[in-house]
Amino acid sequence: MTETFNPNIPIYLQLIESIKRRIVSGELLPGQRLPSVRDLAQTYAVNPNTAQRALSELERDGLVYSERTAGRFITNDGELIEMTRTELAGAQIESFIQQMRNLGFTKQQLLEKLEERLEKEDEENE
């Protein structure tokens, strides 16, 4: 799973965000063992030091924990996972609003466009 990284943002931060997204979406489950640093580096096509730094940060944040000789695992703390999900969603919403405002949309126009798109998506999923 090679990912396209933004050259303006440190790769380890982007790797952290990618892993967080995989955790909050349920792709990585609570208690699931993560790949080794070497395997993770290969999967994302990054330097092992970059993968190590990302995992260390995730561990510091509590989303990942280590068990000696067994590796790293996803936290079982559902509340922390939900809080992280909410934070990621908030960042996406903030970015979306800023981009729409930069395009000149008012609050009402933004809400109308969003409603139209959601209705279209509902129709497509029926």
Side-chain angles (χ1 to χ4, degrees), residues 112-126:
E112 288 169 5
K113 288 292 181 191
L114 186 56
E115 185 66 34
E116 287 172 15
R117 182 61 184 105
L118 289 171
E119 286 176 11
K120 182 178 178 184
E121 187 176 295
D122 285 346
E123 291 170 5
E124 291 172 356
N125 291 329
E126 288 180 352

Side-chain angles (χ1 to χ4, degrees), residues 96-97 100-101 104-114:
F96 170 73
I97 290 170
M100 294 302 283
R101 292 219 186 263
F105 283 85
T106 65
K107 177 182 176 181
Q108 187 59 40
Q109 290 171 322
L110 188 152
L111 290 170
E112 288 169 5
K113 288 292 181 191
L114 186 56

Side-chain angles (χ1 to χ4, degrees), residues 3-121:
E3 200 160 309
T4 304
F5 292 109
N6 180 337
N8 299 321
I9 301 171
I11 292 174
Y12 84 96
L13 292 176
Q14 295 176 74
L15 185 55
I16 290 169
E17 290 303 307
S18 177
I19 294 170
K20 282 182 178 181
R21 282 193 309 272
R22 293 177 65 201
I23 292 170
V24 302
S25 72
E27 185 181 339
L28 295 173
L29 301 173
Q32 182 176 342
R33 186 177 186 278
L34 286 168
S36 68
V37 170
R38 187 178 310 273
D39 290 342
L40 193 65
Q42 271 188 320
T43 299
Y44 282 94
V46 298
N47 183 295
N49 292 331
T50 301
Q52 175 62 42
R53 185 169 183 190
L55 289 173
S56 293
E57 290 290 322
L58 288 164
E59 195 168 344
R60 185 183 56 81
D61 292 344
L63 285 169
V64 170
Y65 65 93
S66 293
E67 287 188 4
R68 276 189 102 95
T69 71
R72 286 190 170 99
F73 298 83
I74 304 300
T75 184
N76 289 306
D77 186 343
E79 192 173 308
L80 178 59
I81 292 172
E82 185 57 33
M83 186 175 79
T84 302
R85 181 174 178 254
T86 300
E87 287 173 4
L88 291 175
Q92 290 293 313
I93 291 168
E94 185 64 36
S95 175
F96 170 73
I97 290 170
Q98 188 60 50
Q99 290 174 14
M100 294 302 283
R101 292 219 186 263
N102 289 344
L103 292 173
F105 283 85
T106 65
K107 177 182 176 181
Q108 187 59 40
Q109 290 171 322
L110 188 152
L111 290 170
E112 288 169 5
K113 288 292 181 191
L114 186 56
E115 185 66 34
E116 287 172 15
R117 182 61 184 105
L118 289 171
E119 286 176 11
K120 182 178 178 184
E121 187 176 295

